[in-house]
Structures are given as C-alpha cells and as structure tokens.
Amino acid sequence: MTSFVKNSPMHFLDELNESQRKAAEHLYGATMVIAGAGSGKTRVLTYRIAYMIEKEIDPFNILALTFTNKAAREMTERIGSIIGGQEAKNITMGTFHSVFSKILRFNADRIGFPNNFTIYDTQDSKSVLKDIIKGFKLDDKTYKPSNVFGRISTAKNNLISPEAYCQNPEIILEDKQSRRPEMGRIYTSYMNRCQKSGAMDFDDLLYYTNVLLRDFPEVLHYYQHKFKYILVDEYQDTNYAQYLIIKKLAAAYENICVVGDDAQSIYSFRGANIENILNFRKDYPDFSLYKLEQNYRSTKNIVEAANSIIKNNKDQIHKSVWTDNQVGNKIKVIRTPTDNEEGRTVSSMIKEKQSETNSSYNDFAILYRTNRQSRSFEEALRKLNIPYKVYGGLSFYQRKEIKDLLAYFRLSANPNDEEALKRVINYPKRAIGKTSIEKLIIAANSYSTSMWEVICDFQKYPVDINNGTKSRIAEFATMIKSFQSEINNKDAFSLAERIARSSGIMKELMDAKDKGPEEVERFQNVEELLSGIQEFSNSSDEENPNTLADFMLEVALLTDADQDKSEEINHISLMTIHSSKGLEFQNVFLVGMEENLFPSQMSLHSRSDLEEERRLFYVAITRAMESCTLSYAVSRFLWGQSISCEPSRFIDEIDSKYIEFSSKSKSLGRGLSMKGFEGTRSGGLNKISSNPNLRSLKDVSRNQKTNTDDKNIKVGFNVEHQTFGKGKVTHMEGFGADQKATIFFPHHGSKTILLRFANLQVLD
DNA sequence: CCAGTACTTAGGTTG
DNA sequence: TAAGTACTGG
C-alpha cells in the first residue's frame, strides 16, 4: 500500500509548507482550513486524503464533497497518482448532488420514489410550474415561473416543507405583501406533481436526503459509520440543507474537515450561506483552525492590491495573505470611448503582448461580469485572427436536440416522467395536437394518476379525444413500451441508436440538414451524444453490460465541463468572473469596470449584496499570476441605446500604490471616435416609395375565394401552394373543417396543412 | 397545422 | 438590440 515511499526519497508531505502540512496531517476531530486565494488549498485536500490512506484509513470510510464534478474528477486523479488508482476509486468523492443522488436511489422506496427517479433540470421544473399556474388560473405575470421557482428553491434549501411553508405566518405575510398569496398552494402542488412523476429537482436531492436521514435512524446510522472521515471543499458555498447533511453525518465521529475562503464566497444569491463557516465554531467548539496565507500564484502587487480591496468588507474572517513572489508590474487601468473600442483595444493589447513574449494564447483570459459583454471581444478577436473560446452559456445538455433525445431515454426509464412525455409525444410530429395533450393532462389530474397511465388505458381512464388521435397515441405508447423492455438489459448504445432511429428523431434532423449550418450542427450534436453513449457502453464488461438506464443515472448531473475536449487547444479564454473561480492565468483582462455594471446595479440596495460584488472583484483580481489589466468604457450600448458610464468604484478602492493609469487609451480614443458617429444615422434614406407587398396581398385575396372550398383533393394530386409552390399530396386525414393534407414540396419538405386555410390550386 | 408578427424582457450559475 | 414566447390570420 505504501510502496510509493520506497521510490521517492522525499515524502509527499514534504512538498507542503508548514501550515499546509499541519492541516493535512491533522486527521482527527473537527478541522477548519481557511485558505486564501492561490494558497494551495486543493493540494492540501489531496495530500490529506493520500496521507489518510497511508495511515491505513480505509478509503471506503472517506467522504469528500466538492463543488463541481470537475473538481472531484481532478482530485481523484491526483490522489490516484500518489497512492494508486485502485485505492482512490473506493473513496466516495463527488458533488453533494451526485453523492446523495446515489444514496437516495439506494433508499428510494423509503421516501416514496422509484429508484430510477428522473432528475428534473431547471427547465423541466419551470415547465411544471407554468402548468400548475395555468391550472390554478393564476396570472402568469404575477406568478412568473422563474420567480416562483426561486421562491420554492429557497424554501427547500432551508428545509421548509410545503406544509411548514403554508403555516409559517412570516412567509404568509411576505407572499401577501408581494401579492402572491397562492405561493404555498403552488409549492404543495409542485411537490406532489414531481412525486407523481417520479422526479426530483436539484434541490430535492438535498431536501430528501435530509428527510431520509431525519426519518430513518437506521439509514443515518449506517452512513454515519460508513463515512467516518468527511471532507468538504468550498465550504463557503454550502447552503443550509447541505450544512445539515454534513452535520448529521459527522455527528458520530466528528472527523470533519472543511476547507474554504469566506473572501471568495460569491454564490449567496443562490442560497450559499457564509454563516456556515461562522457556525462551525459553535457546532464543534474544540475545532482546530488552520489558515493558509501564503499565496503561490500571483505577484506582490496583485496580492496586495487584492488585499486592499477586500479590506473594505465588514463581514470577514481576518487573515493576511502574502507572497514571496516578485513585485511584478502594477495593475493597469485603461479607458476607452465605447464598448466596441474596449473590445478592439484589449484584443490588440493581447496580440501585442503575445507576440512580444511569444507566449501561448492559453495564458490570457478576458473576464467580465455578464455574459453579454463577450460580444465586442469576440468580434475584435475574430478580426485579429486570435483563437478564443467563450465558456459558459448554453450547455451541451441543455440544447433542444439533446434534450429531445434524452427525453425519449428518460421516458423509457421512467414512463411517469411527465415532462419528458409532453416533450416528445408529438415530436417528431405524429399529429397529436396541443388540445389533445391538454386533455390528457387534465384527465391525468382528475383521475389523480399520471399521463402515462391514461394513455396506456383509455378504457379505464376515458378521455374525450377522437379515435384517430387515440390510436396514434396508443401507437406511441407501444413504441415506448418496446424501448422500456430493453432499457435494463440491452447495452446502452444499441438501444440508444434504436430509439434515435425508430422515434424518427434521426430522420427529422437528417432531413433538415440542408437547411443551414445550425441544422447540421444539431445533427452533429446528436451524433456526439450517441458516440458518448457508445464510449459508455464499451467501458462495461461482458457479463453486465452498461445499460441505458445506467447511463441515465449519470447524465442528469453532468455538465459541459465534463466533456472538455478543448483543454489542449491554444486559445484565449472568455468567461464570467463566476466561472473563473478556481482557475488561474498569466494575464488577466478584467473588462467593463463601470458603475452599474460592476458592481451590478442590482447590488446597490444592500450592503451585503455590494460586499458580494466586492468579493467577486477580489476573485477576479486573484486569478492573475503575472499581469492584470482593468478596462472601462465611457459609453456602452445597452438594449439598443447608448448610455454613458462612470468608472467603477472598485477601481478607487485599490490602493493607488498598486495601479497605473495607461495613457494609451486616450490617444486611441481621439481620432477614431468621430468617424464612428458619421454615417450611422442616415435618417429617412430607406423610406419605401412604392410598396410591392401591397399589390401582391390584394391579388392573393382575390384568388382566395375561387378554390378554398374545393374538397376534391386526394392522395397523389399535384397541387400548388401560395408560399411553398408546387407539391404532391402524400396523405389525407380528418373531415370537414378539420381536413388536413400532408404534402411534399420539393423545396420545403413535407408539410401537414389544414385545407381550410391552405388555399391550394389543383394542378391536374 | 404553419408562419409571420406583436410583445416582453434583459444577473451571476452548479448540480 | 436580441431573443424568446404568445397570438393571430391564412
């Protein structure tokens, strides 16, 4: 087990400094490590776990919780490289959500869920809420799904059950004051709907874990004794539900080590609670505290500038971060006339520096407060032919085409998953209309069963839908059942491929491919998902194939960071400050340093919000190793109009010793800006003198009468449509006013059209 | 059922 | 401005 010691003359702990080493070696009792930015926090955690195993602690007894999947994976790898992969595998390591979702699946029957429960993402949750709000006949402007979702999420994160919510006088008053008295009813109904669908949202994973540990002492007992050693990374980002899980699990042995930095807490807006750090001393009065204060990442100027900023916050645990590194250059501040100019200036500065020092583009990052700011930089970088990658935004798994296919998988694994069912029952088009679906939903509610049960047995659950539609629905159900029968035994890839084909999704995307590059991309995305599944299939052994059901257990908790392929490529990184947390770059450009943008306008009302913005600024500055440049624009386009901006107060908060104002910006601004203004508003130049559209409209209306009620259209007829041109009728359905024709148009593909409106000319 | 149009809204983001 | 949704007319 300890063979690595023989090979290396030096013990791995020797690579740590004194306080790092103390924190790593102190294995018993409650320990808190407050780790300044760049102080080697991950290294301490890694070595601590390696040391535990060296001390013959069984990896099976270790629970390590991280903030992201990526962090968990990297740590497992690093530990594996020190003590051997086999040992590392037995550690329970992952995010709260992934670790506890597994525990919940194992114990699902105790809390009234199937063990293959679906995990709803935010989109799914909001869609459920929208339905409920509509069902209650409430105004969806007062009850915006995202607002309601946020409110419910907060409640769950604070372990307030629907019943408690409805009875809490304070909450009732709050909702009354915000004119949303029905919130409690919506919350209750939402919980019921999810349970009926066999689904949990992300917050439920934490909520129900608490329920499980609270109501089933034997379960609590089991995990308390399994997880004798508990480690939590990024402790400042935990919420109350997470805090309580840890507290309960650690209660038996109290071997708990939390690592965090209060100065880098930037997620309170979604429930993270700095109090958890402060409470630690109350819960474990005998705790030991270690502070990691030596920064290995940045120059003296950067470290000290960052210190001078964070000093302005009132709420914080005192620590003094310092470094042995060189003094380095001062932080540069540049000013540009417009946001577009900011893009050009920063891009050319990067180009200059890159060719001067012959460094890799990977050494550069542009950080901003909001995603929309990326635009001006992307444009400028493209013009200069500088490779870049924008991080964040829509993730792979959120894309429509991916969600569509996954919905088939989800439905096959758990047919009660109502969101999945609604998503694909008529996609690709199989003539099951909105009205029919609505009727199904209402029926399911009134029979208090799931939509799936209804569509499987119209005898038992009569619904007022015409027979043609009913038989198409039945056909759909049969197809899903045939997938269902294979989901637990056939290997993931062959079933996935079959579903993609026989659902019609592949054909749908294939046919659209010649429409444009976006359609091609969609098709490729689905191919990529399938090849990912193939990989998953191949990694299993002969005896127990990895099934699609297995795949679905993992996929809901994956994010696009989990399938990084661009890591090696040479490019600049563009991202929000939030997503830069935990990363480091030689050169950081922090852009958009303006009042109302950073700090954000919405943070100006309360001190604590402003302090969070300041911590965000602290995080941004401390990403830089060697150089840090701040920029701001004097005017900026915001929602279609140009507004004038003032430099951020944060610039003033940096001790002037550490910054210099670049003169470059001034000279750049002068000559160019005037030109930009001319020519842009050429008033009424485009005014249309004669309007050809008007004419054609008239012509059309005259034609209309002649052939609308010509009902003698049959399959095989050649017809002409006003907008689609000539085509051939391939299918007819419905009667009278509902009569529809499916027509193949050589230039527009196949369309199903209501004859009542179609205005068709029969050609033969 | 399809497609064009009117209307609305705009933060950060992991699981 | 841009993007997404709801509505409406053919």
Side-chain angles (χ1 to χ4, degrees), chain A residues 19 188 259 389 441 521 609:
Chain A
S19 44
T188 311
V259 182
K389 177 172 160 63
I441 295 173
E521 200 187 326
D609 282 0

Side-chain angles (χ1 to χ4, degrees), chain A residues 14 55 100 126 128 181 230 277 305 350 532 616 676:
Chain A
D14 293 336
K55 286 273 157 190
F100 294 111
K126 284 182 187 165
V128 174
I230 298 174
I277 288 191
I350 290 175
L616 195 55

Side-chain angles (χ1 to χ4, degrees), chain A residues 209-320:
Chain A
T209 299
N210 271 289
V211 172
L212 183 70
L213 299 180
R214 181 194 66 199
D215 296 349
F216 300 91
E218 71 280 14
V219 176
L220 175 63
H221 185 263
Y222 174 80
Y223 289 106
Q224 277 180 340
H225 291 274
K226 171 167 166 57
F227 299 132
K228 289 184 178 133
Y229 301 87
I230 298 174
L231 300 96
V232 188
D233 193 10
E234 307 282 10
Y235 192 64
Q236 77 283 354
D237 289 325
T238 52
N239 60 35
Y240 179 69
Q242 292 168 323
Y243 157 83
L244 207 62
I245 293 172
I246 301 163
K247 190 178 168 192
K248 280 185 171 160
L249 289 179
Y253 294 90
E254 295 205 347
N255 292 323
I256 173 171
C257 171
V258 302
V259 182
D261 180 7
D262 57 305
Q264 293 186 65
S265 156
I266 54 177
Y267 283 109
S268 77
F269 70 92
R270 61 176 201 225
N273 192 352
I274 312 193
E275 301 277 302
N276 291 346
I277 288 191
L278 307 172
N279 279 337
F280 196 82
R281 62 188 73 215
K282 283 186 212 141
D283 292 337
Y284 312 99
D286 297 330
F287 84 114
S288 342
L289 175 66
Y290 297 97
K291 288 185 187 172
L292 308 182
E293 296 177 311
Q294 181 174 3
N295 174 304
Y296 292 95
R297 179 184 295 153
S298 318
T299 63
K300 280 203 175 69
N301 263 319
I302 290 167
V303 167
E304 282 163 26
N307 284 342
S308 72
I309 293 154
I310 204 68
K311 205 175 62 203
N312 292 296
N313 272 6
K314 251 173 85 185
D315 292 332
Q316 56 173 321
I317 296 174
H318 176 78
K319 63 181 157 317
S320 42

Side-chain angles (χ1 to χ4, degrees), chain A residues 509-726:
Chain A
L509 292 172
M510 192 87 97
D511 289 347
K513 255 180 21 178
D514 44 328
K515 276 194 186 162
E518 278 168 39
E519 280 73 15
V520 175
E521 200 187 326
R522 258 185 234 149
F523 182 77
Q524 287 167 345
N525 284 334
V526 169
E527 279 186 321
E528 195 180 324
L529 176 65
L530 287 174
S531 81
I533 296 174
Q534 185 163 35
E535 223 169 274
F536 178 79
S537 277
N538 290 345
S539 66
S540 61
D541 51 271
E542 304 280 310
E543 292 290 292
N544 316 301
N546 275 341
T547 66
L548 197 54
D550 297 329
F551 179 76
M552 291 312 287
L553 300 186
E554 315 242 321
V555 76
L557 297 170
L558 292 181
T559 54
D560 49 354
D562 293 313
Q563 46 164 11
D564 258 331
K565 27 177 190 177
S566 57
E567 209 90 303
E568 306 319 42
I569 303 168
N570 183 24
H571 59 55
I572 303 186
S573 300
L574 275 65
M575 62 181 88
T576 61
I577 304 168
H578 279 94
S579 39
S580 75
K581 190 171 159 194
L583 305 176
E584 58 182 26
F585 301 92
Q586 294 287 331
N587 310 289
V588 166
F589 290 80
L590 179 53
V591 301
M593 291 297 305
E594 294 137 39
E595 279 297 292
N596 296 331
L597 181 57
F598 192 25
S600 149
Q601 185 155 32
M602 294 168 206
S603 70
L604 300 179
H605 310 295
S606 79
R607 197 203 62 183
S608 66
D609 282 0
L610 185 62
E611 292 206 346
E612 179 147 319
E613 295 282 303
R614 194 175 281 115
R615 291 193 295 269
L616 195 55
F617 186 43
Y618 177 81
V619 168
I621 299 272
T622 53
R623 297 311 95 198
M625 302 161 81
E626 219 177 85
S627 90
C628 181
T629 307
L630 312 182
S631 75
Y632 66 92
V634 178
S635 86
R636 172 177 297 278
F637 255 89
L638 187 67
W639 299 325
Q641 45 181 333
S642 167
I643 51 159
S644 62
C645 316
E646 272 177 47
S648 168
R649 69 186 70 190
F650 292 154
I651 297 178
D652 298 331
E653 288 180 9
I654 304 175
D655 191 320
S656 59
K657 280 190 285 208
Y658 309 118
I659 54 177
E660 64 184 15
F661 291 85
S662 165
S663 53
K664 195 172 179 178
S665 48
K666 263 190 183 166
S667 58
L668 254 175
R670 229 185 309 131
L672 295 173
S673 60
M674 287 310 287
K675 266 189 198 156
F677 274 112
E678 291 169 50
T680 39
R681 18 201 111 153
S682 34
L685 259 183
N686 290 338
K687 208 163 194 181
I688 305 154
S689 44
S690 71
N691 189 343
N693 290 331
L694 227 61
R695 267 192 89 112
S696 60
L697 267 179
K698 258 191 230 155
D699 291 345
V700 166
S701 67
R702 207 180 310 133
N703 283 346
Q704 212 162 15
K705 283 192 192 100
T706 55
N707 49 12
T708 327
D709 31 29
D710 187 349
K711 282 161 193 123
N712 291 326
I713 291 174
K714 293 203 178 90
V715 173
F717 276 27
N718 287 307
V719 294
E720 183 160 1
H721 187 272
Q722 188 187 320
T723 43
F724 302 137
K726 289 176 187 169

Side-chain angles (χ1 to χ4, degrees), chain A residues 366-384:
Chain A
I366 298 175
L367 306 182
Y368 35 76
R369 178 68 235 272
T370 66
N371 273 314
R372 63 158 189 268
Q373 287 167 259
S374 72
R375 207 212 71 241
S376 65
F377 299 94
E378 291 183 65
E379 278 173 14
L381 290 167
R382 222 173 306 146
K383 275 201 189 122
L384 293 178

